[in-house]
Amino acid sequence: MTVERAVGPMKWYGWGDPERRVRLDEDAIAMLRAEVGEGRPGDRGSLEGVVIPAPRPLPATIAEAVGPAAVLTGHEHRVRRATGRGYPDLVRLRAGRLDDAPDAVVLPGNAAEVGRVLEVCARERIGVVPFGGGTSVVGGVQPVRGRFERLITLDLRRLHGTRVDRTSLTATLGPGLRGPEAEEALAAHGVTLGHFPQSFEYATIGGFAAARSAGQASSGHGRFDDLVTAVRLAAPAGELETLDVPHTAAGPALRELVLGSEGTLGIITEVSARVRAVPERRRYAAWMAPDFSSGTAIVRTMAQSDALPDVVRLSDEAETRVALGMSGTGGGKRALLGAYLGLRRRRGGCMLVCGWEGEAEAVERRRALAARILRSGGAAGLGNGPGEAWERSRYDGPYLRDELLDLGYMVETLETAHAWARLEELHDEVRAAIGAALAAQETPGIVTGHVSHAYPDGASLYFTFIAPRRPGADLEQWRTVKEAASDAIVEVGGTITHHHGIGRDHLPYMRAEVGGLGLETLRAVKERLDPAGIMNPGKLLP
């Protein structure tokens, strides 16, 4: 299996490989302007010109713990570890000013060095922000000093070991491995994690675990937390390690305390996870459901009939229309699509992408079963071409966001999940809340959504909104829409996050998510593992 490796550091002001762009053609730009108006581009300075506070001096014992060469204090190192890749992060970077940055970036080489650094920081009252790929979109790696005068970022890139147990089909992986690096190492043993979130090129194994990541094939292979069998955590109070066994009834799962802890309890220094054989065959295809309600019924039936594809993504009417317009499906291609659907007495609808991976005979058997359910639900087959096009472009979304930001548009995403019985209500309420919040600011926008990560009892909803930015009030504009959408999610009873995590952005909604006693329980765990409260301050716990 060939795995495309991420190249070098991300562009400082956006996402991914600096040499790669996803360009919009003239038809796509014209469609965007017709729907929401002209964008309002802003100036973008240089990495060297980003203003950050001067670093505070750190004790020599930190350099002694890891070696002087593993403590970086240069301007570029500090800027690159001062943000994730959420919309507010990119606004601040492009504006050329960050209110905070770590005083130093520390790169431990092993778990023992991690422990020594945490011991020093706890004793000296120095805040610690764990850093993997820096792909958080909810403020998860933003330095928040709070009561800490000094703060460091602990970059885990040097923790990249790999051990594969081919008999048990498990692998033990270092937290600093990026997705492509992990897959390349596993492919040498003929296995794969099968975990491919949109952030795959840059996100790390440790980040997958710390944020309870969900990959695009999670409907078939499970979320990352479903794959994890054991973890090691270096906490300020000591090391926590769980047994690498398939199951245990020895009380509440401590592994689950670590998964999703977002660096607030300690540093994940090792992850063991289930792997599977590299797929013999991959098949992707697209269908067009009559409408969103019919499409959700089809996905629900597949989920409850044990017939889910490994990848399933149902776009609502707005996302289907925008995706066709922005992907160059215009002119002759659009005419062909219209003619095809016209033969089936269909005008428009909702695109449904399905993907199957595995042993060849099993793939064809599962595909045939899903096709019967799709047809019985009224979906029209569009063939393999659109599905394969989706697979080829599955990591393009963040690059497209950069292009739209350059054109002067605000682009943001958010996600949630609910039971099937209330999923459509949640979809409608959140879309309406986003649309109303944009219109109230005189920046009407496009609001799209899709269903993914399906389960027998419900599914995730993922929303994207695009609108002309408000120069000088970008963060206020974003915050107004984010709050409106989040309030709508809580009102309908959905989760505030299905796979992006809590970070800073979702802190106000944790009480609604876990309740007052739940928050006290989490605080008690943190106080035991991190008595000085140095770990990723200002995240997860209000």
Side-chain angles (χ1 to χ4, degrees):
M1 179 176 65
T2 300
V3 178
E4 182 181 351
R5 296 176 62 94
V7 180
M10 278 201 239
K11 62 170 76 86
W12 68 270
Y13 59 87
W15 177 266
D17 182 355
E19 301 303 316
R20 182 178 171 193
R21 288 184 64 184
V22 174
R23 298 179 183 273
L24 291 174
D25 63 24
E26 292 183 2
D27 289 343
I29 294 173
M31 183 205 77
L32 184 62
R33 288 171 175 162
E35 296 233 1
V36 302
E38 292 280 348
R40 298 158 187 171
D43 295 330
R44 185 176 72 229
S46 65
L47 172 61
E48 296 75 19
V50 177
V51 177
I52 56 175
R56 287 79 161 178
L58 297 171
T61 44
I62 289 182
E64 292 169 4
V66 296
V71 179
L72 311 177
T73 57
H75 179 271
E76 179 174 350
H77 297 301
R78 296 175 62 223
V79 169
R80 286 189 176 278
R81 283 23 169 251
T83 69
R85 284 301 180 266
Y87 181 74
D89 298 320
L90 301 186
V91 167
R92 296 184 187 107
L93 282 168
R94 287 165 177 252
R97 186 176 187 89
L98 299 175
D99 293 336
D100 214 338
D103 296 311
V105 177
V106 180
L107 293 91
N110 52 52
E113 290 185 1
V114 171
R116 290 199 291 270
V117 171
L118 295 187
E119 182 181 349
V120 171
C121 290
R123 184 174 63 247
E124 300 285 343
R125 297 295 191 269
I126 299 170
V128 179
V129 179
F131 195 94
T135 62
S136 172
V137 294
V138 292
V141 296
Q142 177 186 348
V144 179
R145 291 182 184 271
R147 57 192 172 87
F148 296 104
E149 181 182 341
R150 297 169 294 179
L151 180 143
I152 65 169
T153 288
L154 208 62
D155 189 318
L156 303 174
R157 68 169 68 178
R158 295 175 62 201
L159 277 68
H160 50 64
T162 305
R163 300 193 306 274
V164 175
D165 181 344
R166 197 64 174 78
T167 301
S168 305
L169 279 182
T170 60
T172 300
L173 305 165
L177 284 165
R178 287 179 176 178
E181 294 169 338
E183 285 297 325
E184 183 176 69
L186 294 172
H189 298 270
V191 295
T192 175
L193 277 170
H195 186 73
F196 300 104
Q198 194 172 64
S199 60
F200 169 75
E201 295 171 302
Y202 285 87
T204 61
I205 295 296
F208 292 157
R212 297 177 70 94
S213 170
Q216 294 169 337
S218 69
S219 293
H221 308 315
R223 302 178 313 273
F224 193 73
D225 51 304
D226 295 325
L227 303 179
V228 175
T229 59
V231 292
R232 288 180 66 190
L233 180 82
E239 185 174 78
L240 178 68
E241 183 175 7
T242 68
L243 289 177
D244 191 2
V245 294
H247 180 69
T248 175
L254 295 178
R255 180 184 67 244
E256 290 297 311
L257 281 177
V258 176
L259 298 174
S261 59
E262 300 188 25
T264 61
L265 304 181
I267 303 291
I268 295 171
T269 58
E270 197 172 78
V271 176
S272 295
R274 297 180 181 91
V275 295
R276 59 192 179 90
V278 171
E280 181 180 296
R281 177 171 297 176
R282 288 183 171 88
R283 290 286 297 271
Y284 286 81
W287 297 70
M288 191 71 79
D291 50 45
F292 190 64
S293 182
S294 301
T296 56
I298 290 170
V299 177
R300 176 173 57 83
T301 300
M302 290 193 293
Q304 295 174 348
S305 303
D306 214 14
L308 264 181
D310 299 311
V311 173
V312 60
R313 172 171 171 154
L314 169 70
S315 297
D316 64 13
E317 289 90 345
E319 183 173 275
T320 299
R321 176 175 53 79
V322 171
L324 290 174
M326 287 195 174
S327 65
T329 310
K333 288 184 179 179
R334 183 180 295 280
L336 284 172
L337 178 62
Y340 180 88
L341 295 174
L343 290 173
R344 288 153 178 77
R345 298 178 182 176
R346 181 74 48 77
R347 284 291 182 269
C350 293
M351 184 83 78
L352 209 168
V353 173
C354 299
W356 300 265
E357 303 179 351
E359 188 270 328
E361 184 179 344
V363 164
E364 295 310 313
R365 183 175 65 252
R366 294 171 58 218
R367 190 178 65 84
L369 175 59
R372 287 199 293 271
I373 295 173
L374 284 153
R375 283 192 291 267
S376 67
L382 301 179
N384 296 336
E388 292 168 355
W390 176 87
E391 183 192 16
R392 288 192 299 272
S393 63
R394 65 196 301 179
Y395 307 126
D396 284 355
Y399 290 95
L400 178 58
R401 178 183 61 172
D402 284 353
E403 191 76 2
L404 290 167
L405 289 174
D406 288 343
L407 292 170
Y409 294 96
M410 174 179 68
V411 189
E412 179 62 305
T413 63
L414 57 93
E415 35 72 55
T416 177
H418 214 328
W420 289 114
R422 301 195 70 181
L423 195 72
E424 289 185 57
E425 177 190 1
L426 180 63
H427 171 265
D428 294 346
E429 291 297 324
V430 174
R431 282 200 71 226
I434 294 171
L438 289 170
Q441 299 180 84
E442 298 182 351
T443 55
I446 299 171
V447 186
T448 72
H450 66 255
V451 170
S452 58
H453 312 295
Y455 309 88
D457 53 339
S460 168
L461 284 170
Y462 194 98
F463 298 91
T464 301
F465 53 92
I466 307 170
R469 59 179 284 264
R470 289 178 57 195
D474 302 77
L475 294 180
E476 178 188 345
Q477 179 191 27
W478 168 83
R479 191 173 295 108
T480 298
V481 180
K482 180 73 173 179
E483 289 177 357
S486 298
D487 289 345
I489 289 170
V490 170
E491 182 66 25
V492 182
T495 177
I496 198 63
T497 176
H498 174 264
H499 56 267
H500 284 168
I502 296 297
R504 290 281 292 166
D505 296 351
H506 295 145
L507 272 181
Y509 305 94
M510 269 297 280
R511 182 172 293 274
E513 186 84 14
V514 303
L517 183 58
L519 282 177
E520 291 176 21
T521 303
L522 291 175
R523 286 196 183 101
V525 173
K526 180 172 175 64
E527 288 168 5
R528 177 63 187 89
L529 293 176
D530 179 22
I534 64 171
M535 297 307 307
N536 212 5
K539 319 296 167 40
L540 189 64
L541 293 170

